[in-house]
Amino acid sequence: MSTRNTRRRSAALAAAATAAALLLAGCGSGDDEGSGRTPDAADVTIDPRSSDGSLEPGERVYFAADSPWNTRVDGAKVDPRSKELMGLATLRVGVRETGDRVVTQPRRIEDPVYINTEAWTTPVVAGGEPTNVVCRQAQCGDGDDTVVLDIPTDVDPDPRYDGWFTIFDTAENTAYDLWRARREDDGSISYHFMRKWDLDGPGYSPPQVVGARGSGLPLFAGLIRPGELQAGEINHALAISVPGPAEGSFVQPASSTDGNGSPDSLPEGARIRLRADVVPAPPVDPETGKPIEMTAQQQRLADAIVVALRTYGAIVVDRARVPTLYAQRDVTAELIRGNELQGLFLDDFEVVELPSRRYQYPPERDADPSGLLPSSAAATESGERRR
């Protein structure tokens, strides 16, 4: 048994004992001793009221009611290959040069789940000053020569993290995802690629349509947002990246892929769900092995995220060095630090039954332009960064 598994089981047993003691004592009020328990939807302990007693509003719902982002999966079937797929998703494939040869090196990633709050996540802006948004190249996706959108002057794209940037046009009920965006000296925003989203639409594109993210899915979909954290309720699927998503194929709602794992691994677009039998262990620093001190607020917010992972699950949107969820950039860092779920690992999740169709990406020349693969054949068909 590995050291990690021994530590996890010990932590889980201790957490289970604590949870049982709390239940026997009739204590369901969400005291700090509840760390490690298994919260139900009605058991989340965040107080949604502000200091003056009024209810804090949550975030608005994006996309149609039947969008994959808004549908529950707590009663959905588990994929027959769930355990195998989750195991393959932990295999990160690296590339090393040896003399004149290039060697691939698969390495199993056993790190716990991390939440990005600043690096490799997306600033989402609305309102502000009329700003020119200009494409820097010939192929711009949905971009025109120049569009004028309201953008705050004090929020900029960060080129270190692919320049991801989302602009909401609330008057038009539209969002614009930008890739490789940056603020220019004249105050304009320039970019390399734009994808435009209808906020009442399905929340994904047809197969073989690329986006600002490798999977083609919206940058802002599945973010953990400040308003819903403050309200204590997340009513949508979360976005997650895994170390080894499948190379060369995807399932909807993804519309493309940048997966670089085993061809028969978990594809981008798959939905995974926290298993019902998992008791989240108290978080442990993966580098030091020491317990992470959690404030009462952190524990309560972690409970809300756990409930969302059980109820709505998470959609695989990208690849990353470690299993990664995404909080909205800048505004959530004051609420959570990112290490609140370091007691959860990928093998605590299961794969919701995959769609019957996998799509090859990119599609082969002279093949079906959709790149459609039979699901049984997908497993045999054939930029690393932490997000």
Side-chain angles (χ1 to χ4, degrees):
M1 183 182 295
S2 70
T3 302
R4 177 179 76 83
N5 288 334
T6 301
R7 186 173 74 239
R8 288 188 60 198
R9 285 178 171 81
S10 298
L13 289 172
T18 301
L22 287 171
L23 290 173
L24 290 173
C27 178
S29 63
D31 295 335
D32 292 345
E33 291 83 1
S35 176
R37 62 194 169 81
T38 304
D40 294 320
D43 196 30
V44 178
T45 56
I46 300 171
D47 185 355
R49 296 186 181 274
S50 62
S51 58
D52 64 1
S54 62
L55 280 172
E56 292 283 355
E59 305 280 355
R60 65 151 285 184
V61 175
Y62 304 135
F63 308 127
D66 60 353
S67 166
W69 296 105
N70 297 324
T71 53
R72 296 174 61 131
V73 291
D74 43 340
K77 293 181 180 179
V78 178
D79 194 89
R81 293 183 61 225
S82 176
K83 187 173 182 180
E84 177 188 0
L85 289 166
M86 293 309 302
L88 290 170
T90 67
L91 287 177
R92 175 174 170 237
V93 179
V95 177
R96 178 172 62 89
E97 289 188 12
T98 303
D100 58 351
R101 293 189 306 137
V102 176
V103 179
T104 58
Q105 293 182 309
R107 181 164 66 91
R108 190 167 299 282
I109 303 299
E110 296 187 333
D111 292 67
V113 174
Y114 188 74
I115 307 169
N116 280 348
T117 60
E118 294 184 1
W120 290 115
T121 188
T122 307
V124 179
V125 300
E129 297 297 320
T131 304
N132 287 334
V133 182
V134 186
C135 183
R136 299 196 302 269
Q137 58 183 22
Q139 299 294 325
C140 303
D142 291 334
D144 297 324
D145 293 335
T146 299
V147 295
V148 178
L149 298 172
D150 290 341
I151 301 173
T153 58
D154 59 347
V155 182
D156 296 340
D158 193 333
R160 293 176 298 174
Y161 309 118
D162 271 5
W164 285 342
F165 201 61
T166 296
I167 307 163
F168 278 14
D169 184 342
T170 54
E172 297 294 330
N173 205 33
T174 299
Y176 298 82
D177 277 346
L178 304 183
W179 178 63
R180 290 193 174 176
R182 68 187 185 210
R183 178 82 69 171
E184 302 292 353
D185 291 342
D186 62 2
S188 65
I189 298 289
S190 70
Y191 64 91
H192 272 189
F193 186 87
M194 172 190 286
R195 178 62 68 221
K196 184 177 178 180
W197 298 99
D198 178 358
L199 294 179
D200 288 330
Y204 63 97
S205 298
Q208 313 303 337
V209 175
V210 298
R213 189 186 283 285
S215 61
L217 288 163
L219 292 175
F220 61 95
L223 293 181
I224 299 167
R225 300 175 291 178
E228 58 196 12
L229 282 178
Q230 291 164 350
E233 192 172 22
I234 302 173
N235 290 322
H236 60 80
L238 302 182
I240 192 168
S241 290
V242 298
E247 178 184 24
S249 68
F250 63 89
V251 296
Q252 293 250 265
S255 57
S256 58
T257 184
D258 63 350
N260 64 345
S262 168
D264 56 350
S265 181
L266 185 71
E268 291 183 358
R271 180 92 67 107
I272 64 176
R273 172 183 64 199
L274 187 63
R275 296 201 325 266
D277 63 341
V278 170
V279 177
V284 174
D285 188 309
E287 295 184 1
T288 66
K290 296 180 179 180
I292 295 172
E293 296 293 331
M294 295 264 283
T295 66
Q297 172 178 271
Q298 282 181 289
Q299 181 58 56
R300 291 165 183 160
L301 300 182
D303 285 352
I305 298 169
V306 165
V307 170
L309 290 171
R310 290 195 196 287
T311 308
Y312 291 88
I315 296 174
V316 180
V317 300
D318 222 319
R319 67 177 194 259
R321 188 178 301 170
V322 302
T324 304
L325 299 171
Y326 298 86
Q328 186 175 323
R329 188 184 296 173
D330 302 325
V331 293
T332 44
E334 295 180 358
L335 298 171
I336 54 178
R337 291 199 297 249
N339 56 12
E340 287 80 0
L341 299 185
Q342 298 272 278
L344 290 179
F345 296 78
L346 272 187
D347 58 10
D348 291 324
F349 291 79
E350 59 196 358
V351 182
V352 174
E353 189 171 36
L354 292 176
S356 59
R357 295 179 173 182
R358 273 208 197 197
Y359 296 87
Q360 181 175 331
Y361 184 81
E364 291 183 353
R365 184 177 297 177
D366 300 327
D368 180 344
S370 72
L372 178 63
L373 291 174
S375 58
S376 58
T380 60
E381 297 284 342
S382 259
E384 187 60 42
R385 55 193 183 269
R386 176 173 181 169
R387 303 202 225 284

